[in-house]
Amino acid sequence: MTALPFLLLILATLAGYLLNRMAAGSIRANGARLHSMISYHGMFAALLVLVPVLTIILLWLAFEGPIIDRVVMSGLPDGLLDGQGDGALQLVLAEIKSISRGQIFGTPEDWKIAAADSYSALRTQSDWWMVAVVAGVSLAIIGFARSRVTAEFRARQGVERIVSGLMIFCSTVAVFTTIGIIVSLSYETVRFLDRVPLSEFLFGTNWEPQIPLREDQIAAEGAFGWLPVILGTMVITVVALFVAIPVGLLSAIYLNEFAPRKLRAVIKPVLEILAGVPTVVYGFFAVLVVAPAIRDLGQSIGIDVAPNTALAAGGVMGIMLVPFISSFADDALSAVPSSLRDAALGLGSTRAEMMTTVLFPAAIPGIVGGVLLAVSRAIGETMIVVMAAGLIAKMTINPLDSVTTVTVQIVTLLIGDTSFDNPKTLAAFALGMMLFLVTLMINVFALRIVRKYREAYD
Amino acid sequence: MYDTAKTESALEQTETKISARNVQVYYGDTHAIKDVNVEIEDKTVTAFIGPSGCGKSTFLRCLNRMNDTIDICRVTGDILLDGEDIYDPKVDPVQLRAKVGMVFQKPNPFPKSIYDNIAYGPRIHGLARGKAELDEIVEKSLRRGAIWDEVKDRLDAPGTGLSGGQQQRLCIARAIATEPEVLLMDEPCSALDPIATAQVEELIDELRQSYSVVIVTHSMQQAARVSQKTAFFHLGNLVEYGETGQIFTNPEDPRTESYITGRIG
């Protein structure tokens, strides 16, 4: 049933296109000079139909459900549902919907069957209304578009206006999504802070969120200090960057400036394969290869090493980040004009001097962009940490100890039993909010630094 | 041609700075420079002229081994600077480039301050002991680059913020700062307006007092104005080399005459 409006939309778009194209074609055949080519006339009509009608269909589909639900619920006999909670009302509505689909369990009351009938009647009506509206609006727009076809009509500019409108819309999608994420996160965070005081969350050094959801569960007392968790994230991120930045930058510099062409042709694709390895696979590698190796090494020199270590997880994560940094840095270095290379070499600098004194400072913005991306990835990375670094929050900066990270805690809080009026579940959103703020701060800070120290070439 | 050059320098009684013998340059399979012999004199402006793609820039870049930076480029033959073969394995191309400075077609100041642009060469070659000495080198180079008066109050401003003509003079001053013996200029005025061109040409004429200057140019008027010797390249061959006045008024080779009168090129 929902396919019909879409079919109509396609037909109307095609019809608008062909009609205007033909109309413009006949004007041209009569010897007039058209301002725009006939395909522009067709395109103009097609876009004029497509955009508003598609909007109508999508809005209709979005609001149809909630409106019908309200109508059905308000049509129920008076007094039946008085004093029932929100959950009970949802349950009744769900039952009515399943009856209307023919899934009947037991013998429902008569008023439920009546409501189900009216529900399906309303749905059918709504669908037919939608078809009618789509057809009507399409016809009207086709008529309007057809009436605009004249020799002087600037369909070319008309198409451009519609397309630029679409582009403006698309470019704001990301902005509105971000706003939506912030709003929903803040809402749940505020609910969490109703139950746990802000000072405990921000400054508490204990993280034991596995408190009981129901009264008969046996679980922890509950402590919601985020410091050990963010500390774990920082330890792992720093370890990862200690591996990724030197390896990534030096490999980029080597590939960009020193490597023979043939070697570069081999190494670059291999580095890009590294970027395509799923993080779970890196996790295996960390658990099965790196962690035991670190442990053996530690034992052989008499250091006590935990089986799950931040070093193993962070080190492997660093390898994962190498391709990000190296490919960003490589692009940034390649973008430096070759005239600057010539200038430096012509003054008698070696390639290494040219790199450190000229190319690198000029490429800094791009390189920092890559590093920032790597930092964000490291902070947000979950899988390697779950597998290799452990789940227990510890207030430590020792990379040989097991730590946990913000993202890992969010995952463990949201799997299994959840309940959205319990601080255990809500804590995940508060952590998410903090993570968002931290990454935002890092980005703003780094961009300011770059703007201050960059050497702009033009 | 080789004979011409030889008689010329014998006549002039000036010192030969660079002498090239049987120089061949290949880019991959392309034979870009064919058997070039030339004697470039000290304290003289030598102009290389010729139609586009005739190899004059390629040959210029052989003189300070800038062609080494191009993978597929191969140079054979001898190029002697003060009698020493610059392609000898003993010679460090990095040192050579400090001795044979280069100015490029498009002004290419570093995205650093004016001061740091000039100080770049002295710093990497360790020419200055201490800040005061470096300041002195910077001022001296900017003065010789005829740009000191325009920039002396804003040495900390970025070199990229100057006008095109100023940038080119800055680049010349930067090349001078490493105290080269030879200055190679690859169409230094092609990106400049007539006024800036006139300033740079005046500067080139002054530089002749202390250096041997080799300039590649597309403008025959420019070659006639600034140079004492002119070499005409065509299709990778050095067709004619001699006194600038001689080349422009009474060329020996019919190809030179055709080019100068505008029939080929």
Side-chain angles (χ1 to χ4, degrees), chain B residues 8-250:
Chain B
E8 222 68 299
S9 59
L11 269 172
E12 284 255 314
Q13 292 293 317
T14 45
E15 217 177 309
T16 299
K17 190 71 190 170
I18 297 177
S19 77
R21 289 182 199 141
N22 306 320
V23 173
Q24 322 276 345
V25 179
Y26 302 88
Y27 284 120
D29 294 333
T30 317
H31 196 171
I33 294 286
K34 296 162 194 156
D35 211 19
V36 167
N37 293 285
V38 72
E39 308 271 323
I40 291 164
E41 288 157 16
D42 201 11
K43 311 221 187 302
T44 306
V45 178
T46 307
F48 290 175
I49 60 169
S52 296
C54 67
K56 53 197 188 308
S57 289
T58 300
F59 184 67
L60 188 76
R61 291 168 68 96
C62 291
L63 301 182
N64 67 345
R65 292 185 62 176
M66 276 300 276
N67 282 332
D68 290 15
T69 63
I70 301 165
D71 286 345
I72 55 164
C73 184
R74 198 157 53 82
V75 180
T76 64
D78 297 324
I79 298 177
L80 308 179
L81 174 67
D82 291 332
E84 269 184 83
D85 186 2
I86 62 169
Y87 279 88
D88 190 285
K90 286 205 304 269
V91 171
D92 176 9
V94 169
Q95 292 294 331
L96 172 73
R97 289 182 202 136
K99 221 151 87 174
V100 183
M102 189 156 194
V103 175
F104 297 86
Q105 189 169 357
K106 207 178 133 235
N108 53 0
F110 297 126
K112 302 176 186 294
S113 70
I114 292 169
Y115 184 95
D116 286 339
N117 262 285
I118 304 296
Y120 184 87
R123 276 188 183 136
I124 57 173
H125 296 296
L127 298 181
R129 285 185 305 274
K131 171 84 174 124
E133 205 170 325
L134 192 60
D135 288 350
E136 209 173 291
I137 293 178
V138 169
E139 180 176 341
K140 197 179 75 189
S141 308
L142 285 170
R143 280 188 194 281
R144 300 185 91 164
I147 192 180
W148 170 253
D149 290 333
E150 288 155 76
V151 300
K152 64 179 180 223
D153 300 323
R154 47 173 174 151
L155 292 177
D156 289 332
T160 42
L162 298 171
S163 74
Q166 290 174 326
Q167 286 189 11
Q168 194 62 299
R169 277 178 286 147
L170 179 71
C171 292
I172 294 172
R174 181 177 65 184
I176 292 169
T178 59
E179 291 171 18
E181 295 164 19
V182 181
L183 209 49
L184 309 178
M185 297 187 168
D186 191 355
E187 298 179 42
C189 300
S190 64
L192 305 183
D193 67 28
I195 294 171
T197 301
Q199 287 167 330
V200 170
E201 282 178 6
E202 202 176 316
L203 172 58
I204 292 171
D205 201 48
E206 281 166 30
L207 295 175
R208 180 163 64 95
Q209 317 289 323
S210 347
Y211 310 102
S212 161
V213 178
V214 185
I215 175 171
V216 164
T217 176
H218 261 120
S219 151
M220 281 174 282
Q221 289 89 337
Q222 183 171 58
R225 281 194 301 264
V226 299
S227 71
Q228 287 77 51
K229 295 279 224 162
T230 297
F232 170 63
F233 285 79
H234 187 240
L235 301 174
N237 296 303
L238 176 61
V239 174
E240 191 165 348
Y241 176 56
E243 295 287 317
T244 300
Q246 169 94 26
I247 294 268
F248 279 95
T249 52
N250 191 14

Side-chain angles (χ1 to χ4, degrees), chain A residues 42-271:
Chain A
M43 194 72 98
F44 176 72
L47 285 172
L48 213 57
V49 176
L50 186 69
V51 175
V53 176
L54 187 63
T55 316
I56 290 177
I57 293 178
L58 293 179
L59 286 179
W60 195 293
L61 289 176
F63 288 106
E64 181 188 44
I67 292 175
I68 292 178
D69 289 354
R70 290 201 144 209
V71 173
V72 167
M73 291 307 277
S74 65
L76 291 180
D78 292 336
L80 264 176
L81 301 171
D82 285 353
Q84 304 250 29
D86 229 23
L89 289 179
Q90 290 289 327
L91 224 59
V92 171
L93 184 64
E95 200 181 344
I96 292 172
K97 280 185 186 171
S98 63
I99 293 172
S100 76
R101 282 196 299 269
Q103 301 163 331
I104 304 170
F105 303 100
T107 46
E109 294 92 329
D110 284 344
W111 59 269
K112 277 188 185 161
I113 295 176
D117 286 345
S118 86
Y119 178 82
S120 33
L122 278 171
R123 279 218 87 106
T124 325
Q125 264 178 32
S126 156
D127 285 344
W128 283 115
W129 269 111
M130 173 158 63
V131 171
V133 168
V134 165
V137 173
S138 302
L139 279 179
I141 296 177
I142 290 174
F144 170 73
R146 173 66 187 79
S147 72
R148 298 296 300 273
V149 182
T150 57
E152 300 84 43
F153 178 58
R154 301 187 173 186
R156 209 171 166 187
Q157 279 83 345
V159 169
E160 192 156 312
R161 268 199 300 279
I162 297 175
V163 171
S164 70
L166 277 177
M167 290 189 289
I168 292 171
F169 171 74
C170 290
S171 60
T172 50
V173 164
V175 175
F176 285 112
T177 315
T178 313
I179 294 174
I181 289 174
I182 295 173
V183 168
S184 72
L185 267 182
S186 324
Y187 178 70
E188 305 290 351
T189 306
V190 167
R191 289 182 57 188
F192 170 76
L193 292 176
D194 283 346
R195 290 163 175 80
V196 176
L198 181 64
S199 58
E200 189 197 325
F201 177 64
L202 283 185
F203 305 114
T205 55
N206 238 334
W207 179 260
E208 283 164 15
Q210 299 295 347
I211 57 171
L213 289 176
R214 293 183 303 277
E215 278 164 14
D216 55 343
Q217 277 181 327
I218 298 166
E221 287 282 310
F224 292 96
W226 83 313
L227 284 182
V229 186
I230 188 71
L231 201 64
T233 295
M234 283 185 333
V235 169
I236 290 205
T237 304
V238 167
V239 170
L241 292 180
F242 255 100
V243 174
I245 292 181
V247 176
L249 280 189
L250 290 178
S251 64
I253 289 174
Y254 174 70
L255 288 180
N256 192 272
E257 199 50 50
F258 298 94
R261 202 175 298 197
K262 280 180 189 158
L263 193 65
R264 181 183 157 90
V266 175
I267 293 184
K268 254 214 121 172
V270 173
L271 264 178

